[in-house]
Every structure is written in structure tokens, then in C-alpha cells.
Amino acid sequence: MAKVLSGKDVALHNKRDDCWIIIHGKAYDVTDFLDDHPGGSKIILKYAGKDATAEYEPIHPPNTIDANLPSEKHLGPVDLDTVEKVEIQITDKEKERQERFSARPLLSEILNLHDFESIAKQVMPEKAWAYYSSAADDEITNRENHAAYHRVWFRPRILRDVTEVDWSTTILGHKTSMPIYISATALGKLGHPDGELNLTRAAAKHDVIQMIPTLASCSFDEIIDAAQPGQVQFFQLYVNKDRNITKRIVQHAEQRGVKGLFITVDAPQLGRREKDMRMKFEADDPKIVTENEKVDRSQGAARAISSFIDPGLSWKDMKWFKSITKMPLILKGVQCWEDALMAYDAGLQGVVLSNHGGRQLDFSRSGLEVLVEVVDNLKAKRGLKFPNEKFQLFVDGGVRRATDVLKAIALGANAVGVGRPFIYAFSTYGAEGVDKALQILHDEFAMNMRLLGAPTIKDIVPEMVDAHNIHSHVVAVPGDRLYDSNYESLQYAKLQEV
Ligand code: 173
């Protein structure tokens, strides 16, 4: 049993060449690790000899340090009563933010998903907003994801009995109260201390499916344990260069009851999200000098923690995936019909037509636009009908309204993924916010299905939409709150202060 250290013992080791930190009541010698830390050495040095838990917690899944630091660097428990509290200096800017947070409207005043986004932008810590909202390069695809829905218009039917409307359906054979699943988004604790558990709780209440991300702030098991009996969860996978690690993760997920594996295929390298990158520069303390950093940490939060992702992943690996799991395999991030066809021919169970929320290749097309060509070509070349139970099509990116979802369903999607809106909902109001967001969507489905003349999801057919403009990118976009207000002007490099 290691001796219990005191705060004073740890505080002696507060230098670059002798650096200990405390995380969750345990001390670690991170001296040799400083230059290898994906988030850079500066942030660790800020806590040299001190308790770093508060800073560490949102960005690292719980056992990160234990798993990554050699065991001889684990120094054992610390008597936390003897540890001086790290004084968190609340800047004037932070004080103002907290005041804005207290001035959030009542949940009853939130009427749609845009409202969460607009409040989030005003009340979230700047770093968290920058990380969640940012997208690749000039953020053209990010905007297009939303704008694409403006190019599809309805052809509603009349005089159909819509006394009862039912928008429940199934995804990969599992019941869901609406044709939406909660898509995977990383680092939930940046927005709220309960992180992804907010999503698990609200998903349980509404019978919707949550896709658990590889890079959640909560551990995978915490998220599984928080689910109600029978609650369905999927898993989003980033494939590790070390396939043994991937195998272990996948088989653990299956053993814990995960019902579908969504393999991310659009991120062999992470896109440049400049809003996130600028934030990192600005947050650094220039007084802490770092010379030998091996990691270029100028690239923002996401890039810093994504170096394990294997850019060598290829079609050849699909056979291996089938050999290690019986879970349905779905590729997340397919962007043209040729790849959808290859996924079908490879015997996979579906594809998510997605550009990663505009965070990867800028000028990739919206999932909705890709859906149209995928349906056309798989019909023509493989005789498939859509929606299809055996090979399911999903779309994500830019979805803010039930009308958006209904357009995708009409065009052949089985269901639609929604990511950012739920993060904004829990960052502003916790699990209750997500609950409200889902309630809003229920209300929108009820009304819009009545107005469309579609009593059930099966009644939403291709003839109910006019999508002939979907491929033409130069059409007038009507004034739109999300486009004009929540999306931000891009920033430029600034002059130094002299
Ligand atoms: O979009 C993302 O930010 C993302 O998928 C990611 C990838 C690696 C690390 C953190 C987030």
C-alpha cells in the first residue's frame, strides 16, 4: 500500500524538471510526460504541485491518466484535506458570463431548437462554445448542412384522416418514439458536469436511441450503467492504430449490450476547426515557457486528443470487423453513392450520410443531398427499395426541425442523427434541456405530420417532397435565424498587444 501523501509533499514538485500533479485524490509524476501530453505541457505546468482535477475532468475520460502513464509514475493517494485549494481566479469576463447564465430564460420560453443554440452561444464558457460550434476551414459545409433543407419543399396531401398521428418507427430493428437518434459528440463535460449522462437520461424518458461516442467525457461503462433496463444504445467507434485496443473496445461494447457499431470513416485526420484553434492560443498563459514540446498543440482541443485514430483504416478492415463482432456494422461519414454501394456489397447494415457536422472536409455536400444520389443509384444498380430494413440509410448534419427530418424520411432515410442541438440543450439546462428539446420535436412531428396528411412514418413517401433543386447550390435561401444569427462570422488573426 503506497503511503498517503500530503499536499505539502506534492507541492514540492512544482517545476518543469520535477513535476507532480494530483488528479481525483491521487498523485502522479508527470515530469517525463510533459512534452508528450497531447494537450501540451503548459496546461500541466499551470498545476505543477497542485490539484489539477477540475481542469482535467471535462477533457479526459475517467481512467485516461491511469491507462497512459507508466505505473511507476503513479505515486499513490493524497490526503485531500491537506491540499491547498487551487484558487480559481474568476475574471471579469467569467463573472459576466455567469451573470448571463443566471439570466437564461425559463425552459417554458424555449420554443425550438434554435433557441437552445442561441442561448448556449451567450452563456457557455467560450472554450466549450468554440469547440462544439466550430467547423472546418471556412465553415461552408457547416452552413450548407442546414441550408440544404431549404431546397426541399413539401407536397402535402389533404383530406386524410389525421386524428391519430404516430411518428414512432424502428432503427436497426429497435423501437424508437421518433425517427431521430442522438448522434455521437465528444467531450460532453465541457458543456455540463454530467456530460453525456444528460443525454442518456433524457433518451430513456423519450424512448430514443443514444449513440455513445468513443471520446465521451464520461466513461463508456458509466454511460451504459446510467441506461434504464431495455434502453437501446449504439456506439460510435474511432478505430485505433492498435487493433487490439479496438477489438477490446468493440467486444466490450457488444458484451455490455450495445446494439449497433457506427464506425467513423470521415476522419483519417481531424479537420482544422479554426475557432477552436484560436481559442487555444488565447487561453495560454504566456508566462509559462515551453521549449521542447513534441506535440503541436496549436490545433485545438479535438486535434490534441485524436492522434490515436488510424488513417490506415480501409475496406480491407471490414472483414476483420465482421470477424470480431455480431453487432450490426454501419459506416458513419459516407459522402457519395459509390461508397454506399461498396458498403452494401461488403455486407454492412447501413451508412450514415454525413460530413461530421461540417467539421471535416469543407465543401463536402450535405447528407441530404447525398441521400438523393444514394437512393437513386442503389435502386438502379442493386434493385433496393427505400427505406430498407436490411441496409439502412441515415443522415445527419444541420437538422433543427421535425420538418427537416420528415424531408429526409420522404427521400428514403430510415432515421436522422441530431448532435449539436442536444449538446446546446444540456449545456444550458442539463438533462431537462434535452428532455425539452425532445418534447419540442414530438410537438413538431405531431403538427407537421397532420399538415402533411401522413398518419404514420410509412405514409411519408417521396411524392411528398419536391427535391428537384437539391443539387443546385446557387438558389436563394430565405432569411433564417440559424444562418443569420447563431452561425458566427469567422475571426481573423489579431495584432499582438503592445
Ligand atoms: O468532431 C470532433 O470534434 C470529433 O469527432 C473529435 C475527434 C477527436 C477528438 C475529439 C473530437
Side-chain angles (χ1 to χ4, degrees), residues 131 186-187 215 236 238 267 270 273 301-303 305-306 308-309 356 359-360:
Y131 170 66
L187 304 185
L215 289 163
Q236 172 270 333
Y238 274 123
L270 231 57
R273 295 95 185 243
R303 273 200 164 192
I305 58 171
S306 62
F308 72 91
I309 300 172
H356 208 119
R359 291 160 79 83
Q360 288 299 103

PDB file of all heavy atoms in Angstrom, residues 131 186-187 215 236 238 267 270 273 301-303 305-306 308-309 356 359-360, ligand 1:
ATOM      1  N   TYR A 131     -15.395  24.930 -29.141  1.00  0.00           N
ATOM      2  CA  TYR A 131     -15.166  23.543 -29.508  1.00  0.00           C
ATOM      3  C   TYR A 131     -16.403  22.927 -30.176  1.00  0.00           C
ATOM      4  O   TYR A 131     -16.305  22.310 -31.227  1.00  0.00           O
ATOM      5  CB  TYR A 131     -14.745  22.711 -28.284  1.00  0.00           C
ATOM      6  CG  TYR A 131     -14.763  21.251 -28.631  1.00  0.00           C
ATOM      7  CD1 TYR A 131     -13.863  20.743 -29.572  1.00  0.00           C
ATOM      8  CD2 TYR A 131     -15.727  20.402 -28.113  1.00  0.00           C
ATOM      9  CE1 TYR A 131     -13.921  19.419 -29.964  1.00  0.00           C
ATOM     10  CE2 TYR A 131     -15.792  19.081 -28.493  1.00  0.00           C
ATOM     11  CZ  TYR A 131     -14.885  18.591 -29.423  1.00  0.00           C
ATOM     12  OH  TYR A 131     -14.954  17.287 -29.817  1.00  0.00           O
ATOM     13  N   ALA A 186     -18.235  14.482 -28.975  1.00  0.00           N
ATOM     14  CA  ALA A 186     -17.202  14.247 -27.952  1.00  0.00           C
ATOM     15  C   ALA A 186     -17.267  15.276 -26.819  1.00  0.00           C
ATOM     16  O   ALA A 186     -17.911  16.317 -26.936  1.00  0.00           O
ATOM     17  CB  ALA A 186     -15.822  14.286 -28.610  1.00  0.00           C
ATOM     18  N   LEU A 187     -16.612  14.973 -25.720  1.00  0.00           N
ATOM     19  CA  LEU A 187     -16.305  15.928 -24.646  1.00  0.00           C
ATOM     20  C   LEU A 187     -17.514  16.620 -24.028  1.00  0.00           C
ATOM     21  O   LEU A 187     -17.539  17.834 -23.851  1.00  0.00           O
ATOM     22  CB  LEU A 187     -15.316  16.997 -25.167  1.00  0.00           C
ATOM     23  CG  LEU A 187     -14.002  16.502 -25.771  1.00  0.00           C
ATOM     24  CD1 LEU A 187     -13.101  17.679 -26.122  1.00  0.00           C
ATOM     25  CD2 LEU A 187     -13.278  15.550 -24.841  1.00  0.00           C
ATOM     26  N   LEU A 215     -15.076   9.241 -27.773  1.00  0.00           N
ATOM     27  CA  LEU A 215     -14.390  10.258 -26.986  1.00  0.00           C
ATOM     28  C   LEU A 215     -15.324  11.015 -26.053  1.00  0.00           C
ATOM     29  O   LEU A 215     -15.254  12.232 -25.933  1.00  0.00           O
ATOM     30  CB  LEU A 215     -13.632  11.205 -27.915  1.00  0.00           C
ATOM     31  CG  LEU A 215     -12.421  10.513 -28.548  1.00  0.00           C
ATOM     32  CD1 LEU A 215     -11.911  11.281 -29.751  1.00  0.00           C
ATOM     33  CD2 LEU A 215     -11.301  10.307 -27.545  1.00  0.00           C
ATOM     34  N   GLN A 236     -20.371   4.771 -31.294  1.00  0.00           N
ATOM     35  CA  GLN A 236     -19.586   5.347 -32.391  1.00  0.00           C
ATOM     36  C   GLN A 236     -18.135   4.992 -32.153  1.00  0.00           C
ATOM     37  O   GLN A 236     -17.604   5.214 -31.066  1.00  0.00           O
ATOM     38  CB  GLN A 236     -19.774   6.877 -32.428  1.00  0.00           C
ATOM     39  CG  GLN A 236     -18.860   7.614 -33.395  1.00  0.00           C
ATOM     40  CD  GLN A 236     -17.543   8.034 -32.754  1.00  0.00           C
ATOM     41  OE1 GLN A 236     -17.476   8.237 -31.545  1.00  0.00           O
ATOM     42  NE2 GLN A 236     -16.506   8.157 -33.564  1.00  0.00           N
ATOM     43  N   TYR A 238     -14.068   5.281 -33.088  1.00  0.00           N
ATOM     44  CA  TYR A 238     -12.852   5.719 -33.763  1.00  0.00           C
ATOM     45  C   TYR A 238     -11.893   4.545 -33.725  1.00  0.00           C
ATOM     46  O   TYR A 238     -11.632   3.997 -32.657  1.00  0.00           O
ATOM     47  CB  TYR A 238     -12.221   6.917 -33.050  1.00  0.00           C
ATOM     48  CG  TYR A 238     -12.788   8.234 -33.496  1.00  0.00           C
ATOM     49  CD1 TYR A 238     -13.367   9.109 -32.597  1.00  0.00           C
ATOM     50  CD2 TYR A 238     -12.756   8.606 -34.838  1.00  0.00           C
ATOM     51  CE1 TYR A 238     -13.885  10.323 -33.015  1.00  0.00           C
ATOM     52  CE2 TYR A 238     -13.272   9.801 -35.272  1.00  0.00           C
ATOM     53  CZ  TYR A 238     -13.843  10.663 -34.355  1.00  0.00           C
ATOM     54  OH  TYR A 238     -14.354  11.846 -34.783  1.00  0.00           O
ATOM     55  N   ALA A 267     -12.799  10.681 -40.869  1.00  0.00           N
ATOM     56  CA  ALA A 267     -11.847  11.456 -40.080  1.00  0.00           C
ATOM     57  C   ALA A 267     -10.477  10.780 -39.966  1.00  0.00           C
ATOM     58  O   ALA A 267      -9.961  10.586 -38.869  1.00  0.00           O
ATOM     59  CB  ALA A 267     -12.427  11.717 -38.684  1.00  0.00           C
ATOM     60  N   LEU A 270      -8.100  14.872 -38.385  1.00  0.00           N
ATOM     61  CA  LEU A 270      -9.153  15.790 -37.973  1.00  0.00           C
ATOM     62  C   LEU A 270      -9.079  17.100 -38.752  1.00  0.00           C
ATOM     63  O   LEU A 270      -7.989  17.602 -39.029  1.00  0.00           O
ATOM     64  CB  LEU A 270      -9.040  16.059 -36.472  1.00  0.00           C
ATOM     65  CG  LEU A 270     -10.355  15.859 -35.725  1.00  0.00           C
ATOM     66  CD1 LEU A 270     -10.893  14.452 -35.935  1.00  0.00           C
ATOM     67  CD2 LEU A 270     -10.198  16.146 -34.266  1.00  0.00           C
ATOM     68  N   ARG A 273     -10.400  23.171 -37.244  1.00  0.00           N
ATOM     69  CA  ARG A 273     -11.517  23.990 -36.758  1.00  0.00           C
ATOM     70  C   ARG A 273     -10.913  25.242 -36.145  1.00  0.00           C
ATOM     71  O   ARG A 273     -10.445  25.246 -35.024  1.00  0.00           O
ATOM     72  CB  ARG A 273     -12.336  23.231 -35.730  1.00  0.00           C
ATOM     73  CG  ARG A 273     -13.071  21.993 -36.258  1.00  0.00           C
ATOM     74  CD  ARG A 273     -12.258  20.767 -36.021  1.00  0.00           C
ATOM     75  NE  ARG A 273     -12.831  19.552 -36.610  1.00  0.00           N
ATOM     76  CZ  ARG A 273     -13.233  18.514 -35.885  1.00  0.00           C
ATOM     77  NH1 ARG A 273     -13.176  18.540 -34.568  1.00  0.00           N
ATOM     78  NH2 ARG A 273     -13.696  17.454 -36.481  1.00  0.00           N
ATOM     79  N   ALA A 301      -8.645  21.666 -29.181  1.00  0.00           N
ATOM     80  CA  ALA A 301      -8.903  20.554 -28.271  1.00  0.00           C
ATOM     81  C   ALA A 301      -9.043  19.214 -28.991  1.00  0.00           C
ATOM     82  O   ALA A 301      -8.463  18.208 -28.599  1.00  0.00           O
ATOM     83  CB  ALA A 301     -10.160  20.835 -27.455  1.00  0.00           C
ATOM     84  N   ALA A 302      -9.805  19.196 -30.075  1.00  0.00           N
ATOM     85  CA  ALA A 302     -10.112  17.925 -30.722  1.00  0.00           C
ATOM     86  C   ALA A 302      -8.862  17.282 -31.317  1.00  0.00           C
ATOM     87  O   ALA A 302      -8.588  16.105 -31.101  1.00  0.00           O
ATOM     88  CB  ALA A 302     -11.161  18.128 -31.803  1.00  0.00           C
ATOM     89  N   ARG A 303      -8.099  18.092 -32.052  1.00  0.00           N
ATOM     90  CA  ARG A 303      -6.908  17.521 -32.689  1.00  0.00           C
ATOM     91  C   ARG A 303      -5.938  16.975 -31.667  1.00  0.00           C
ATOM     92  O   ARG A 303      -5.254  15.981 -31.893  1.00  0.00           O
ATOM     93  CB  ARG A 303      -6.225  18.577 -33.536  1.00  0.00           C
ATOM     94  CG  ARG A 303      -6.794  18.641 -34.920  1.00  0.00           C
ATOM     95  CD  ARG A 303      -5.799  19.314 -35.813  1.00  0.00           C
ATOM     96  NE  ARG A 303      -6.108  19.078 -37.198  1.00  0.00           N
ATOM     97  CZ  ARG A 303      -5.273  19.359 -38.172  1.00  0.00           C
ATOM     98  NH1 ARG A 303      -4.102  19.872 -37.906  1.00  0.00           N
ATOM     99  NH2 ARG A 303      -5.607  19.128 -39.409  1.00  0.00           N
ATOM    100  N   ILE A 305      -6.426  15.428 -28.961  1.00  0.00           N
ATOM    101  CA  ILE A 305      -6.698  14.108 -28.388  1.00  0.00           C
ATOM    102  C   ILE A 305      -7.039  13.054 -29.438  1.00  0.00           C
ATOM    103  O   ILE A 305      -7.545  12.000 -29.121  1.00  0.00           O
ATOM    104  CB  ILE A 305      -7.809  14.169 -27.327  1.00  0.00           C
ATOM    105  CG1 ILE A 305      -9.092  14.733 -27.928  1.00  0.00           C
ATOM    106  CG2 ILE A 305      -7.370  14.958 -26.124  1.00  0.00           C
ATOM    107  CD1 ILE A 305     -10.275  14.605 -26.999  1.00  0.00           C
ATOM    108  N   SER A 306      -6.756  13.353 -30.701  1.00  0.00           N
ATOM    109  CA  SER A 306      -7.207  12.427 -31.736  1.00  0.00           C
ATOM    110  C   SER A 306      -6.073  11.696 -32.433  1.00  0.00           C
ATOM    111  O   SER A 306      -6.289  11.032 -33.436  1.00  0.00           O
ATOM    112  CB  SER A 306      -8.026  13.193 -32.776  1.00  0.00           C
ATOM    113  OG  SER A 306      -7.213  14.160 -33.393  1.00  0.00           O
ATOM    114  N   PHE A 308      -4.602   9.069 -31.888  1.00  0.00           N
ATOM    115  CA  PHE A 308      -4.656   7.599 -31.911  1.00  0.00           C
ATOM    116  C   PHE A 308      -5.443   7.066 -33.115  1.00  0.00           C
ATOM    117  O   PHE A 308      -5.383   5.888 -33.436  1.00  0.00           O
ATOM    118  CB  PHE A 308      -5.294   7.077 -30.616  1.00  0.00           C
ATOM    119  CG  PHE A 308      -6.782   7.342 -30.536  1.00  0.00           C
ATOM    120  CD1 PHE A 308      -7.687   6.407 -31.012  1.00  0.00           C
ATOM    121  CD2 PHE A 308      -7.259   8.538 -30.020  1.00  0.00           C
ATOM    122  CE1 PHE A 308      -9.050   6.652 -30.961  1.00  0.00           C
ATOM    123  CE2 PHE A 308      -8.620   8.800 -29.972  1.00  0.00           C
ATOM    124  CZ  PHE A 308      -9.515   7.851 -30.447  1.00  0.00           C
ATOM    125  N   ILE A 309      -6.200   7.935 -33.783  1.00  0.00           N
ATOM    126  CA  ILE A 309      -7.085   7.468 -34.856  1.00  0.00           C
ATOM    127  C   ILE A 309      -6.258   7.010 -36.058  1.00  0.00           C
ATOM    128  O   ILE A 309      -5.308   7.683 -36.456  1.00  0.00           O
ATOM    129  CB  ILE A 309      -8.069   8.582 -35.281  1.00  0.00           C
ATOM    130  CG1 ILE A 309      -8.936   8.988 -34.080  1.00  0.00           C
ATOM    131  CG2 ILE A 309      -8.947   8.126 -36.442  1.00  0.00           C
ATOM    132  CD1 ILE A 309      -9.805  10.209 -34.325  1.00  0.00           C
ATOM    133  N   HIS A 356     -19.792  14.871 -40.821  1.00  0.00           N
ATOM    134  CA  HIS A 356     -19.242  15.117 -39.484  1.00  0.00           C
ATOM    135  C   HIS A 356     -19.590  16.538 -39.008  1.00  0.00           C
ATOM    136  O   HIS A 356     -18.760  17.258 -38.456  1.00  0.00           O
ATOM    137  CB  HIS A 356     -17.716  14.934 -39.537  1.00  0.00           C
ATOM    138  CG  HIS A 356     -17.070  14.502 -38.257  1.00  0.00           C
ATOM    139  ND1 HIS A 356     -16.375  13.329 -38.148  1.00  0.00           N
ATOM    140  CD2 HIS A 356     -17.005  15.073 -37.048  1.00  0.00           C
ATOM    141  CE1 HIS A 356     -15.882  13.226 -36.921  1.00  0.00           C
ATOM    142  NE2 HIS A 356     -16.261  14.272 -36.227  1.00  0.00           N
ATOM    143  N   ARG A 359     -17.337  19.420 -39.875  1.00  0.00           N
ATOM    144  CA  ARG A 359     -16.086  19.597 -39.128  1.00  0.00           C
ATOM    145  C   ARG A 359     -14.888  18.952 -39.822  1.00  0.00           C
ATOM    146  O   ARG A 359     -13.769  19.011 -39.323  1.00  0.00           O
ATOM    147  CB  ARG A 359     -16.233  19.008 -37.720  1.00  0.00           C
ATOM    148  CG  ARG A 359     -17.195  19.804 -36.862  1.00  0.00           C
ATOM    149  CD  ARG A 359     -17.726  19.004 -35.691  1.00  0.00           C
ATOM    150  NE  ARG A 359     -16.827  18.880 -34.566  1.00  0.00           N
ATOM    151  CZ  ARG A 359     -16.672  19.800 -33.611  1.00  0.00           C
ATOM    152  NH1 ARG A 359     -17.326  20.941 -33.694  1.00  0.00           N
ATOM    153  NH2 ARG A 359     -15.869  19.595 -32.592  1.00  0.00           N
ATOM    154  N   GLN A 360     -15.113  18.305 -40.973  1.00  0.00           N
ATOM    155  CA  GLN A 360     -14.006  17.617 -41.641  1.00  0.00           C
ATOM    156  C   GLN A 360     -13.667  18.307 -42.968  1.00  0.00           C
ATOM    157  O   GLN A 360     -13.056  19.341 -42.966  1.00  0.00           O
ATOM    158  CB  GLN A 360     -14.368  16.144 -41.797  1.00  0.00           C
ATOM    159  CG  GLN A 360     -14.337  15.405 -40.456  1.00  0.00           C
ATOM    160  CD  GLN A 360     -12.950  15.460 -39.847  1.00  0.00           C
ATOM    161  OE1 GLN A 360     -12.687  16.225 -38.910  1.00  0.00           O
ATOM    162  NE2 GLN A 360     -12.037  14.680 -40.385  1.00  0.00           N
TER     163      GLN A 360
HETATM  164  O1  173 B   1     -15.730  16.335 -34.317  1.00  0.00           O
HETATM  165  C1  173 B   1     -14.981  16.155 -33.376  1.00  0.00           C
HETATM  166  O2  173 B   1     -14.623  17.088 -32.652  1.00  0.00           O
HETATM  167  C2  173 B   1     -14.502  14.821 -33.129  1.00  0.00           C
HETATM  168  O3  173 B   1     -15.032  13.924 -33.682  1.00  0.00           O
HETATM  169  C3  173 B   1     -13.368  14.564 -32.253  1.00  0.00           C
HETATM  170  C4  173 B   1     -12.360  13.742 -32.686  1.00  0.00           C
HETATM  171  C5  173 B   1     -11.277  13.531 -31.890  1.00  0.00           C
HETATM  172  C6  173 B   1     -11.185  14.133 -30.659  1.00  0.00           C
HETATM  173  C7  173 B   1     -12.205  14.932 -30.199  1.00  0.00           C
HETATM  174  C8  173 B   1     -13.303  15.145 -31.007  1.00  0.00           C
END
